[in-house]
Amino acid sequence: MADRSSLLRIITSAAREPLKPLGLAQRGRSRLWIDDHGWWLGVVEFTLPRTSGSGLYVGAMRLWRYVVHLALHVDAVHTAPELFRTEGQFTPLALDLNRQAATNVTALREKVPALPNVARYLTFRPVRRGFLWDSCDAGIVSALTGDPDTARDHFERVPRRGRVVALDCRSPGEDP
């Protein structure tokens, strides 16, 4: 099993070539790369399995909801982990994971080009039972794109017991 520092060094080095030219920024020295679009983030995470190696998650996070952690709200693509045996064996696998990440980021950008596209997608998709945030997100994006009637319709679909939690978009400590 490799020590984590050499594993992270290989992943980071492999990520720079395909992800930096796309405008992604590494979050500190972590395994996270961020694609900031102002109202949504593309998130690339190179996961560490229980044994040494790396997998990959790529998805989008909507920024109209306050959360204190990164979350994948849209199309999280997961790639199974590749195991680390030696640097020579793992380096080409890390390069391949990063090419997959770049391809997935490009596809995500094409899927989420502008707020009106997201509004159409969220407001017309079928209702999924038990997904409180679907109606809330559809209401928020409808309001943001200037459609108060659709926003109201989607907000009314949020179950009463969840409305206070779902519609309270204030930052912690902010007055009501």
Side-chain angles (χ1 to χ4, degrees), residues 16 18 41 46 52-53 58 69 83 88 94 100 106 110 113 126 141 162 176:
R16 283 192 186 112
L41 295 178
F46 296 94
S52 189
V58 178
H69 58 278
L83 295 180
Q100 289 176 46
T106 301
E110 290 169 2
V141 74

Side-chain angles (χ1 to χ4, degrees), residues 4 8 10 16 26-27 39-40 59 66 100 120 122-123 127-128 133 151 153 159 172 174:
R4 287 200 187 255
L8 292 174
I10 293 169
R16 283 192 186 112
Q26 185 178 11
R27 187 172 180 199
W39 58 276
W40 69 278
Y66 179 80
Q100 289 176 46
R120 277 191 298 280
L122 290 176
T123 57
V127 175
R128 299 180 302 167
W133 290 109
D153 178 54
E174 187 179 323

Side-chain angles (χ1 to χ4, degrees), residues 12-22 33 95 98-99:
T12 300
S13 176
R16 283 192 186 112
E17 182 184 329
L19 298 181
K20 271 198 174 232
L22 290 175
W33 289 74
L95 289 167
N98 281 286
R99 282 190 289 272

Side-chain angles (χ1 to χ4, degrees), residues 44-151:
V44 176
E45 179 182 14
F46 296 94
T47 59
L48 295 179
R50 288 185 183 162
T51 58
S52 189
S54 183
L56 172 67
Y57 279 103
V58 178
M61 176 179 177
R62 298 181 189 110
L63 296 178
W64 55 68
R65 245 191 280 147
Y66 179 80
V67 293
V68 295
H69 58 278
L70 289 174
L72 301 179
H73 299 133
V74 179
D75 292 338
V77 177
H78 176 253
T79 302
E82 297 287 355
L83 295 180
F84 182 100
R85 291 179 187 84
T86 67
E87 285 192 25
Q89 165 268 339
F90 187 72
T91 299
L93 298 175
L95 289 167
D96 187 47
L97 274 177
N98 281 286
R99 282 190 289 272
Q100 289 176 46
T103 299
N104 291 337
V105 165
T106 301
L108 196 57
R109 287 175 174 178
E110 290 169 2
K111 192 177 264 189
V112 186
L115 204 50
N117 300 77
V118 174
R120 277 191 298 280
Y121 170 75
L122 290 176
T123 57
F124 290 110
R125 75 174 170 189
V127 175
R128 299 180 302 167
R129 223 173 118 78
F131 287 83
L132 168 73
W133 290 109
D134 284 358
S135 291
C136 189
D137 286 339
I140 291 169
V141 74
S142 296
L144 289 172
T145 56
D147 188 352
D149 294 332
T150 302

Side-chain angles (χ1 to χ4, degrees), residues 153-165:
D153 178 54
H154 282 282
F155 286 139
E156 287 172 359
R157 295 180 193 178
V158 176
R160 289 216 177 270
R161 63 177 164 50
R163 285 186 190 177
V164 173
V165 174

